[in-house]
Amino acid sequence: MNRAPLKRSRILHMALNGALDPSEEAEPGGRDKPFLLRAVQIAVVVSLYWVTSISMVFLNKYLLDSPSLQLNAPIFVTFYQCLVTTLLCKGLGLLAACCPHALDFPRVGLDLKVARSILPLSVVFIGMITFNNLCLKYVGVAFYNVGRSLTTVFNVLLSYVLLKQTTSFYALLACGIIIGGFWLGVDQEGAEGTLSLMGTIFGVLASLCVSLNAIYTKKVLPAVDGSIWRLTFYNNVNACILFLPLLLLLGEHQALLHFAHLGSAHFWGMMTLGGLFGFAIGYVTGLQIKFTSPLTHNVSGTAKACAQTVLAVLHYEETKSFLWWTSNMMVLGGSSAYTWVRGWEMRSQEEPSPKEGEKNTMGV
């Protein structure tokens, strides 16, 4: 019996549902540590994830749509952040080679054959980060999470289209709550006169690209020996190259030539800081999963989104209606419910029934 298609289907299913290999779910030997130490470590890691993620969103909003900057070049902002990530990966790789006992980071080098094999993922990756930034440019930070909340729904659709895999009633119910929250949020933004149709479309496209990115990431990881950091390096190198013709095609080089703050150290400092946050979010995400679990990471992300929305409303001194807040609660509640349902279903599938256990014991 050929097990290769079965293995590919399982990998794709894990990618669509955000699951990791069991070896990646927790820190080896973490359970043997004292409870207080583990609690402090988890608190620090989760706080680091929250601060990094929320700071990155607010900083990107400033760079993309600040009245004081007036920089209409979202592709250039995204390109520069990819460039910073590329240089960081290369620099950390060289530093780790010089000080292997002080830093654990793979040495990265450019192999054109590997770069070509990762190109399909890079195209999806470019779409993901570009549409994310374009969504953030045209919508407020408070609506940002609702605007790009359909990732879970696209996960379910792609599971059915690519794997012909049905989804349980409770998981579909959670998706229905997310869709309802999304539509209610769009309706309330329109009622308040703050709806950006273009930003909403970009948010939907970003959600689709996030789902596709998970699929292609699992597919091309073997090309970089399973190293996420090497994949990050190649992805960003490809992105930097592909962004250059886009910059010229969209005329953003003209906008940069007439940009008043092009020689400002403050501007370039904020741009570089945005790139550092973009690099750091991948590290702290992996760190949070390592010290907790994929399920806890998703719950933490949902809670972070709630805190981010509240902070945005307070920071920008906005007034929102009861139904607007209801739409946010529906999206966050539906996402949490889906995470819990999928976690429960995957644990149930991993636990063998008594009859299966008897068959395994008998060697059947």
Side-chain angles (χ1 to χ4, degrees), residues 301-318:
T302 302
K304 185 274 304 180
C306 182
Q308 180 177 291
T309 301
V310 173
L311 285 172
V313 171
L314 294 174
H315 176 72
Y316 295 106
E317 299 179 349
E318 299 172 340

Side-chain angles (χ1 to χ4, degrees), residues 8-215:
R8 283 196 297 270
S9 296
R10 182 174 179 272
I11 290 175
L12 183 55
H13 168 67
M14 291 171 67
L16 286 166
N17 291 286
L20 298 175
D21 295 331
S23 60
E24 297 172 344
E25 290 188 4
E27 182 186 16
R31 298 295 180 186
D32 298 331
K33 293 181 178 179
F35 171 78
L36 184 59
L37 177 59
R38 286 193 289 116
V40 171
Q41 285 179 331
I42 290 172
V44 170
V45 167
V46 171
S47 299
L48 189 61
Y49 169 77
W50 279 42
V51 170
T52 303
S53 181
I54 293 175
S55 299
M56 183 177 69
V57 170
F58 277 91
L59 180 57
N60 279 345
K61 181 63 177 177
Y62 168 76
L63 292 170
L64 293 163
D65 193 37
S66 171
S68 61
L69 283 181
Q70 296 182 341
L71 175 62
N72 187 25
I75 301 299
F76 173 73
V77 172
T78 312
F79 161 79
Y80 186 81
Q81 291 176 348
C82 290
L83 181 62
V84 170
T85 298
T86 301
L87 295 176
L88 280 172
C89 286
K90 187 64 178 177
L92 288 173
L94 294 173
L95 188 60
C98 297
C99 311
H101 300 293
L103 180 64
D104 182 19
F105 197 92
R107 187 163 186 174
V108 292
L110 189 59
D111 185 328
L112 293 180
K113 183 179 179 181
V114 175
R116 283 195 300 269
S117 66
I118 291 174
L119 191 58
L121 170 64
S122 299
V123 173
V124 174
F125 172 73
I126 288 172
M128 180 181 71
I129 58 178
T130 301
F131 290 137
N132 264 326
N133 280 350
L134 286 172
C135 175
L136 187 57
K137 175 178 174 61
Y138 290 105
V139 307
V141 176
F143 183 68
Y144 178 61
N145 285 305
V146 173
R148 48 185 295 279
S149 61
L150 297 181
T151 300
T152 299
V153 178
F154 282 119
N155 286 347
V156 172
L157 288 175
L158 291 174
S159 293
Y160 180 76
V161 172
L162 299 178
L163 296 177
K164 304 302 179 186
Q165 188 174 54
T166 57
T167 306
S168 69
F169 170 76
Y170 292 110
L172 289 175
L173 184 61
C175 289
I177 295 172
I178 295 172
I179 294 172
F182 173 80
W183 282 114
L184 181 60
V186 171
D187 176 74
Q188 290 305 298
E189 284 284 305
E192 295 180 3
T194 55
L195 176 66
S196 168
L197 181 60
M198 189 67 69
T200 304
I201 293 173
F202 285 138
V204 173
L205 292 174
S207 300
L208 174 60
C209 287
V210 169
S211 295
L212 291 172
N213 186 72
I215 297 171

Side-chain angles (χ1 to χ4, degrees), residues 13-14 17 19 341-350:
H13 168 67
M14 291 171 67
N17 291 286
V341 169
R342 290 301 303 144
W344 177 78
E345 289 175 351
M346 294 183 75
R347 283 195 300 271
S348 300
Q349 291 171 4
E350 289 173 359

